[in-house]
Amino acid sequence: MGTRMPAKRTTVRDLRRHNRSLLLAKLYFDGPLSRHELSGLTGLSAATVSNVTAELGEERLITEAGLVESDGGRPRVLLRVDPAYGHVAGVDIGETGVKVELFDLTMNRLAAVEHPLASPRPDAAAAVTQVASGLREVISEAGIDEATVLGVGVGVPGTVEQGEALRVHAPTIGWKEVPLTDLLRAEGVELPLFVDNGAKTQGQGEMWFGAGRGARHAVIVLIGSGVGAAVVTDGTTYRGATSSAGEWGHTTIVYGGRECRCGSRGCLESYVGAEGVLARYRKARGGKPTSGEDERTQFAALLKSAGKTKAAAKMLEETAGYLGAGIGNLVNLFNPERIVLGGWAGLALGEQYLPEIRRVAGAHALAHVFDQTEIELGRLGPDAVAIGAATLPVAALLDQGTDPRTAGSNRDTAARP
């Protein structure tokens, strides 16, 4: 017989935290709501709802948002999460630059800055300097006190390992065991930090506010210079044993194919990521470079050339085909109800080639599964990674029912399942 695990005791404190979390999340995503509606939606008693909302009101986490008529009785007070309670920052460390954005608690953008990085293989120290500088800039531009910032979410192009200290592994940009939060602390960033893979932060942003909203089973894909994905099953991002699940870009699409930045061959990323597409296009043109000073402008120029040259049209049709086949694999593997195509290159490609991508995906997926899958473009635009990153401290607030600044969260934190 196996050893029985001791049952976990639920304490009064656990119950109180659960109730706070439940009501806060309901108000955040579905508010404004009355206390009566909250009781019906959460299954909590009227007395519990009254007590917990009074407590949240005293802490200024929630505020009144008008009145609604009730059947025969007094009008009911509507409640909502107070956007002015605090601020959150979102950082997108990409392969082409660093983006830093500042939001109020309900994700209204207050300020944003973007700094290009000199190399597609950016030195970690250089990226960290830009993050610290960007945070100072957005806080200054918004005219707020740094003390009002609940936390900073950071999306990175790699996997995040939480051990004794947080480490980022991003072999495609040359990062190996980068102590990202230690470096940020050394640059003077003292705010609570929450770090996750950029495809996963984009995924959370699209699930909360964008094209994934309302779906329980979805895959949010990110195509920029590289390629990644967030697999959401029953409303939760699937992470795997060491939180590196979702490396869709490094699944094999061509056996023995093109060499990938990760060291393998035939990876999907080397056929549909912007860097790989541009490299293939240069080779097809005998080494002649695409016009444009950086990857984004070169990719835009390639898309614009599709209507003018056969070489550009052929390259993009092939790329849409590889992407469609890759999406067909996702359909067969995960049976999602929705697949969302995002990332700056994914959005640009999807705007011109989404019908072709859908057609090829359908040809490579099981028909009865594909018929139940929607494929659409992300709605948060190229800022989706930064927006999603900013939701990480908000998620900590909603999950714990307590402010990250006062809950012992002022530490280096990898996103949790």
Side-chain angles (χ1 to χ4, degrees):
M1 287 182 64
T3 305
R4 282 191 66 183
M5 294 291 288
K8 186 185 175 187
R9 256 183 87 221
T10 302
T11 65
V12 172
R13 184 180 175 185
D14 291 335
L15 195 58
R16 175 177 167 272
R17 192 180 79 178
H18 170 76
N19 292 342
R20 282 174 62 96
S21 171
L22 190 60
L23 291 170
L24 256 183
K26 189 55 69 177
L27 285 171
Y28 189 82
F29 291 112
D30 301 322
L33 295 164
S34 69
R35 290 176 179 84
H36 178 74
E37 287 171 315
L38 281 168
S39 181
L41 290 167
T42 62
L44 297 176
S45 70
T48 297
V49 170
S50 182
N51 290 337
V52 175
T53 55
E55 190 178 88
L56 294 171
E58 283 171 20
E59 294 170 30
R60 300 190 177 178
L61 257 168
I62 65 172
T63 186
E64 294 186 2
L67 301 170
V68 64
E69 293 295 325
S70 63
D71 297 333
R74 290 184 303 169
R76 291 187 176 124
V77 175
L78 290 172
L79 302 171
R80 63 169 180 159
V81 169
D82 190 347
Y85 174 77
H87 302 91
V88 289
V91 177
D92 174 5
I93 299 179
E95 291 147 324
T96 56
V98 170
K99 191 176 290 186
V100 183
E101 303 191 357
L102 186 75
F103 305 85
D104 68 17
L105 195 57
T106 48
M107 300 306 293
N108 296 305
R109 187 185 290 105
L110 305 176
V113 296
E114 187 166 5
H115 294 291
L117 289 166
S119 162
R121 308 285 187 275
D123 178 66
V128 163
T129 299
Q130 298 288 31
V131 171
S133 169
L135 285 169
R136 289 191 291 270
E137 288 174 59
V138 292
I139 287 168
S140 172
E141 185 183 324
I144 65 157
D145 185 339
E146 185 178 308
T148 67
V149 180
L150 276 64
V152 179
V154 184
V156 295
T159 60
V160 182
E161 178 188 2
Q162 177 79 54
E164 286 184 18
L166 186 143
R167 296 285 185 269
V168 175
H169 303 266
T172 56
I173 59 168
W175 288 16
K176 184 179 179 182
E177 295 188 11
V178 168
L180 186 67
T181 47
D182 288 348
L183 295 175
L184 284 165
R185 297 291 181 222
E187 278 284 338
V189 178
E190 297 177 357
L191 295 162
L193 293 168
F194 302 82
V195 184
D196 203 357
N197 167 266
K200 290 185 175 73
T201 72
Q202 174 192 268
Q204 182 156 295
E206 289 285 358
M207 292 301 292
W208 280 26
F209 304 114
R213 190 169 167 87
R216 296 293 298 168
H217 302 275
V219 182
I220 318 293
V221 305
L222 183 152
I223 301 175
S225 182
V227 174
V231 178
V232 178
T233 178
D234 202 25
T236 302
T237 301
Y238 178 71
R239 294 185 173 277
T242 59
S243 205
S244 69
E247 290 292 342
W248 175 57
H250 300 291
T251 56
T252 304
I253 197 81
V254 179
Y255 175 70
R258 286 177 49 81
E259 188 173 349
C260 180
R261 299 182 297 178
C262 74
S264 186
R265 285 191 170 273
C267 293
L268 181 68
E269 180 173 293
S270 60
Y271 290 87
V272 305
E275 184 177 296
V277 173
L278 291 169
R280 284 167 50 232
Y281 187 50
R282 278 194 300 274
K283 186 177 179 183
R285 300 208 304 166
K288 186 180 176 185
T290 313
S291 61
E293 58 188 26
D294 59 29
E295 202 168 80
R296 294 195 186 203
T297 53
Q298 288 171 18
F299 198 75
L302 170 58
L303 284 163
K304 199 171 180 181
S305 299
K308 302 172 187 173
T309 74
K310 287 183 180 178
K314 183 172 184 287
M315 181 57 54
L316 289 166
E317 282 164 16
E318 278 183 8
T319 301
Y322 284 123
L323 178 53
I327 287 174
N329 288 340
L330 291 175
V331 172
N332 290 344
L333 276 170
F334 299 109
N335 184 24
E337 59 196 281
R338 197 172 303 160
I339 291 177
V340 178
L341 176 57
W344 63 266
L347 291 170
L349 193 64
E351 280 168 14
Q352 285 185 216
Y353 290 91
L354 191 59
E356 177 65 4
I357 292 166
R358 282 190 180 125
R359 184 191 69 75
V360 178
H364 286 79
L366 295 167
H368 69 283
V369 182
F370 184 76
D371 288 346
Q372 299 167 48
T373 309
E374 301 168 335
I375 302 172
E376 56 183 273
L377 294 181
R379 293 182 197 159
L380 300 184
D383 290 348
V385 172
I387 294 169
T391 68
L392 299 180
V394 180
L397 172 70
L398 300 181
D399 290 346
Q400 299 297 318
T402 311
D403 191 321
R405 293 169 297 186
T406 58
S409 294
N410 200 351
R411 54 185 166 79
D412 305 341
T413 311
R416 298 297 187 192

